[in-house]
Amino acid sequence: MAPLGRADEVSRKIKAGYIKANDRLTPVERLEIYSRSYWYRLIDSMYEDFPGLLAVLGPRAFDKIVRAYLADCPSRSFTLRNLGSRLHEWLGKNKKFAGNKIDVALDMIALEWAHIEAWDAAERKLLGPEDLLEPGPDLRIGLQPHISLLDLRYPVDDLRIRAASAHTEHETASNAVTKPKKRRALAVGRLKPQRIFVAVHRMDDSIYYRRLAHDEFRILEMLRERKPVGRALAKCVKESATPVAELQKNLEKWFASWAELGWLCGI
Amino acid sequence: MPANRFNGFTDYGIGIGLRIPHYDHILSRKPVVDWFEIISENFMIDGGRPLKTLDQILEQYRVVQHGVSMYFGSAEKLNREHLKKLKALVKRTKTPWLSDHLCWGSVDGTYSHDLLPMPYTFEAAKVTARNVREARDFLEVPVCVENVSSYAEFHVSEMTEWEFLNEVVERADCGILLDVNNIYVSSRNHSFNPYEYLNSVPADRVAQIHLAGHSKFQKYILDTHDHPVIDPVWKLYDHAIKLVGPTATLLEWDDHIPSFEEVHAEAMKAERFLPVAAV
C-alpha cells in the first residue's frame, strides 16, 4: 500500500474518479483527512517507541528517518506495537540517514526494540527441581523469552533511561482520528564509544537494563542458543582471559543472580 | 432490548473504555462501574503487565471486547492467526459478545491502522457478511459490527450507509454496535439526516451503543474521542434508546483523557435517558 499524501496528478485523477466531492471538500481534500491521520498515527507511534533514538538524532533527522522508514516498510502487523520491528535492519541498509551517528543510532534502536519485546513477551515457568533431575553434561537450561542480550558499541542504556522519562505506554484507541502531538527531544552531547553488554529484561512488570560481564554475556548467549550448560561453561573457561579460580567464583555469583532475577526456565 | 442473542442475553448498563491512565485508580479504589470495554488488540500479547492488569480487572468487573483490526470489509479472508489470538483472549475474558467495525483497513497484509470507509455496494456487503460469519463461527461468541465515522464517500455506492449496515447484518445474521456519535459525525460530513439513519436501524439487532466526543473543524468533523459528548449526540442517543430500549452503553474517551471520575461522570449522564425508555 503506497502511503497516502503523495498526491501527484495521476493519483489526484484516480481519487476524483472514486471519491465524491461534497459542498465543502474536493475528493482529494476528503482523502487527505485520512492521509494526515495515517501519518500522524504512525509517526506518533514511532515517537512513543523510540525516544532514545530521537535523543540521539534530534527531531529533524528522526522525523526524516521515520518517514522514509514507514514509506519503505509500512506496517505488516495488526498492531502498532510491531511498527518498528524492521527499523534496525532498514537503517543498517540506509546508513546515510543517520550520518556519523549511525553506530550509536543502531545501538539505540537495538536497545529500544528489546525494550518493546521485554514489555509483553511471555514468561515461562521458572526453573525448578524437576528440570534438574538429571544434571550432567547434556543438561540444558532456557532463558525467559522476555530477555534480550545485546552487545553494544555505545553506552546507550543510560541515555535511554533519561530520554524515556516522559515515555508513556502504548495503547491502541478505538476509531479515533489521531491529531498531531508536540514532542520534545532530550538534548544530549555526543556519546563516547564504550563496548557494553546488556540484558534487557522484565521483572515485576518493569523493564530493566542490566549490564553484564563479557563472560557472563557469552554464557547466557549459549544458553539462549540451547547449548548444554556443561558445554557453555567449558567453552567459556577455555576462551576467557579471567583466571579459572576467579571465573569459578563469578559463575557461582552469576547463576545465583540469574536465578534470583527469574531469568532461568526449563526448555 | 436489554438482552438479546447478539449480546449474549446480557443486560449490561453503562460502561466505560478501560484505559491505561485509569488503571491505578480502578485497581486501588475499586469504583463501581457496571462494565469495562477493552480494545482487544491491546491484550493480544504473550505476557507482561497488560495481561496481568486485565486479569486483576476481570476478577472484579465485567469486560466486553471491542476490536479495531479485524477489518470485516477487507476483500481478503480474515487472518487465521489473528483469529486464534483473539479467541485466546475471548476465553480469558469470557466476553459475552465481541465487536469490530464496518470498515476495511488492510490490503495484502499491509495495515493502515485506520477504519477506512467502504463502498456501499451489494458485493461489498456480501464479502463483509462472509467475514463476519467466519469470525463468529471461529470465535464462538456473538459478533457485532459498529458503524464508523467517515470523511469520504464512493461514487460506486449503490445504497446509503444505513441500508448497507442493514444489508450486512441481515446477511451475516449478526448484531449491531450502534455508535451514535459516529452517526452524528458522518451525518455532518455527508449531509444526511441522522434520525433517518437511526429510524432505519433494525432495533432487535442492537446489542450495544457507543457514545463519544469529537472535534469540529471549519469544513468537517473529526471523530477524536477527546471531548465530552455534545448535546445533539445526547439527543440522538435519547432517540436511539426510545427505538431500541435500554441498551448496554459505553463512553469512549481516548485522547486527552481526564480523570477516571470525569470520564465516569460523563458516561453516567446516559442514565438520564434510560429510565424513560424503560417505562
Side-chain angles (χ1 to χ4, degrees):
Chain A
M1 185 190 300
L4 296 172
R6 293 174 165 181
D8 57 14
E9 196 50 38
V10 175
S11 71
R12 280 177 189 276
K13 283 179 184 169
I14 291 170
K15 288 169 187 172
Y18 283 105
I19 304 297
K20 284 182 183 175
N22 68 8
D23 55 348
R24 290 153 282 161
L25 297 168
T26 66
V28 172
E29 287 170 333
R30 298 183 101 180
L31 276 188
E32 277 173 352
I33 296 171
Y34 289 99
S35 170
R36 281 193 296 273
S37 179
Y38 171 84
W39 284 105
Y40 291 151
R41 181 178 297 111
L42 269 59
I43 289 170
D44 196 42
S45 179
M46 295 296 281
Y47 271 89
E48 294 280 348
D49 287 347
F50 296 98
L53 184 65
L54 173 64
V56 166
L57 297 173
R60 191 177 293 180
F62 180 85
D63 196 67
K64 210 170 162 186
I65 281 180
V66 164
R67 286 171 190 273
Y69 166 68
L70 292 174
D72 284 353
C73 304
S75 174
R76 302 286 293 172
S77 166
F78 70 91
T79 167
L80 284 170
R81 180 261 192 214
N82 296 328
L83 193 59
S85 62
R86 290 177 286 168
L87 184 59
H88 192 274
E89 183 189 352
W90 178 88
L91 191 60
K93 290 177 184 165
N94 295 275
K95 294 180 177 172
K96 62 180 181 184
F97 282 98
N100 59 8
K101 292 178 177 171
I102 183 66
D103 288 340
V104 66
L106 286 172
D107 277 2
M108 184 59 89
I109 294 169
L111 182 77
E112 299 203 294
W113 182 249
H115 187 109
I116 292 168
E117 295 269 69
W119 178 249
D120 57 15
E123 181 164 0
R124 291 210 196 115
K125 189 174 155 287
L126 295 181
L127 192 71
E130 67 278 10
D131 299 303
L132 303 169
L133 287 178
E134 292 177 30
D138 292 330
L139 175 70
R140 285 177 165 85
I141 290 176
L143 275 189
Q144 291 290 357
H146 58 74
I147 300 171
S148 291
L149 302 168
L150 304 174
D151 177 354
L152 304 171
R153 290 157 292 187
Y154 286 85
V156 291
D157 48 353
D158 291 337
L159 173 57
R160 173 56 164 75
I161 290 167
R162 284 164 53 210
S165 57
H167 183 65
T168 53
E169 280 182 42
H170 224 304
E171 188 173 44
T172 296
S174 168
N175 198 31
V177 174
T178 310
K179 292 194 287 192
K181 290 187 173 68
K182 284 185 182 168
R183 297 280 177 188
R184 280 177 56 202
L186 178 77
V188 290
R190 186 173 289 271
L191 278 185
K192 286 183 184 164
Q194 178 199 345
R195 192 178 186 196
I196 60 168
F197 302 95
V198 178
V200 180
H201 69 108
R202 187 175 75 225
M203 195 170 69
D204 296 333
D205 300 329
S206 293
I207 309 303
Y208 294 90
Y209 309 147
R210 182 182 169 89
R211 288 208 186 175
L212 306 170
H214 191 187
D215 289 333
E216 185 182 16
F217 174 82
R218 287 172 58 234
I219 294 169
L220 287 168
E221 264 200 325
M222 287 187 270
L223 296 184
R224 164 75 19 106
E225 291 162 10
R226 301 191 171 202
K227 293 211 165 87
V229 178
R231 231 169 83 194
L233 295 182
K235 195 165 164 35
C236 181
V237 169
K238 190 178 166 191
E239 294 174 0
S240 175
T242 308
V244 175
E246 191 183 332
L247 193 56
Q248 224 162 10
K249 277 186 189 165
N250 286 341
L251 284 170
E252 283 174 26
K253 194 175 72 187
W254 292 335
F255 268 92
S257 164
W258 300 339
E260 197 179 343
L261 290 166
W263 286 10
L264 305 177
C265 57
I267 288 186
Chain B
M1 262 55 66
N4 61 34
R5 64 190 172 105
F6 303 112
N7 57 25
F9 298 101
T10 56
D11 56 354
Y12 287 15
I14 299 166
I16 62 172
L18 182 67
R19 300 293 180 262
I20 288 171
H22 297 156
Y23 281 1
D24 287 343
H25 180 96
I26 296 164
L27 294 174
S28 62
R29 306 269 186 90
K30 301 179 176 44
V32 176
V33 181
D34 197 49
W35 59 287
F36 285 106
E37 184 184 79
I38 61 165
I39 303 298
S40 300
E41 285 75 3
N42 289 330
F43 301 95
M44 289 162 67
I45 51 177
D46 296 325
R49 187 183 169 205
L51 285 179
K52 278 190 188 168
T53 307
L54 177 61
D55 287 342
Q56 287 174 287
I57 297 283
L58 285 166
E59 282 172 15
Q60 299 170 56
Y61 296 98
R62 305 190 287 192
V63 165
V64 175
Q65 283 180 228
H66 178 53
V68 293
S69 63
M70 202 125 58
Y71 299 139
F72 291 133
S74 286
E76 61 247 52
K77 289 201 163 189
L78 300 179
N79 181 320
R80 202 36 80 108
E81 287 310 307
H82 183 98
L83 285 176
K84 281 181 187 168
K85 285 187 175 181
L86 194 53
K87 189 165 187 175
L89 188 63
V90 165
K91 284 184 178 167
R92 193 178 201 117
T93 65
K94 299 182 177 59
T95 184
W97 75 94
L98 172 149
S99 59
D100 208 313
H101 299 83
L102 190 55
C103 72
W104 67 286
S106 64
V107 176
D108 296 334
T110 295
Y111 288 75
S112 70
H113 300 283
D114 203 348
L115 309 172
L116 300 175
M118 299 190 60
Y120 304 134
T121 65
F122 288 99
E123 180 60 24
K126 192 173 142 190
V127 169
T128 306
R130 177 202 69 196
N131 288 339
V132 174
R133 281 196 308 271
E134 187 190 339
R136 181 192 56 215
D137 294 347
F138 187 88
L139 298 170
E140 298 178 293
V141 67
V143 170
C144 300
V145 293
E146 177 186 358
N147 57 295
V148 298
S149 294
S150 66
Y151 314 99
E153 299 164 290
F154 291 88
H155 282 297
V156 295
S157 287
E158 299 162 344
M159 58 191 105
T160 63
E161 183 186 329
W162 51 94
E163 287 167 342
F164 183 74
L165 174 65
N166 288 352
E167 186 73 19
V168 169
V169 297
E170 287 298 328
R171 281 174 179 264
D173 190 21
C174 69
I176 295 172
L177 195 181
L178 190 65
D179 192 315
V180 178
N181 177 61
N182 287 351
I183 291 177
Y184 179 81
V185 169
S186 293
S187 76
R188 297 295 299 270
N189 289 337
H190 309 314
S191 305
F192 63 75
N193 179 353
Y195 289 90
E196 188 181 351
Y197 192 134
L198 277 182
N199 291 337
S200 80
V201 170
D204 58 338
R205 289 189 182 274
V206 176
Q208 182 191 336
I209 293 179
H210 264 175
L211 291 162
H214 55 254
S215 300
K216 195 175 174 187
F217 294 85
Q218 198 181 351
K219 294 183 176 179
Y220 55 91
I221 294 180
L222 274 186
D223 183 28
T224 47
H225 296 184
D226 58 354
H227 286 85
V229 180
I230 64 168
D231 281 343
V233 173
W234 282 122
K235 283 179 185 158
L236 276 177
Y237 176 70
D238 185 22
H239 188 70
I241 290 297
K242 282 174 181 148
L243 292 170
V244 305
T247 300
T249 298
L250 188 288
L251 175 74
E252 297 178 294
W253 203 316
D254 294 310
D255 206 358
H256 303 120
I257 301 175
S259 69
F260 175 87
E261 288 93 342
E262 202 175 323
V263 173
H264 194 221
E266 184 66 16
M268 293 310 287
K269 288 179 186 173
E271 246 182 348
R272 288 178 293 169
F273 306 97
L274 293 172
V276 176
V279 172

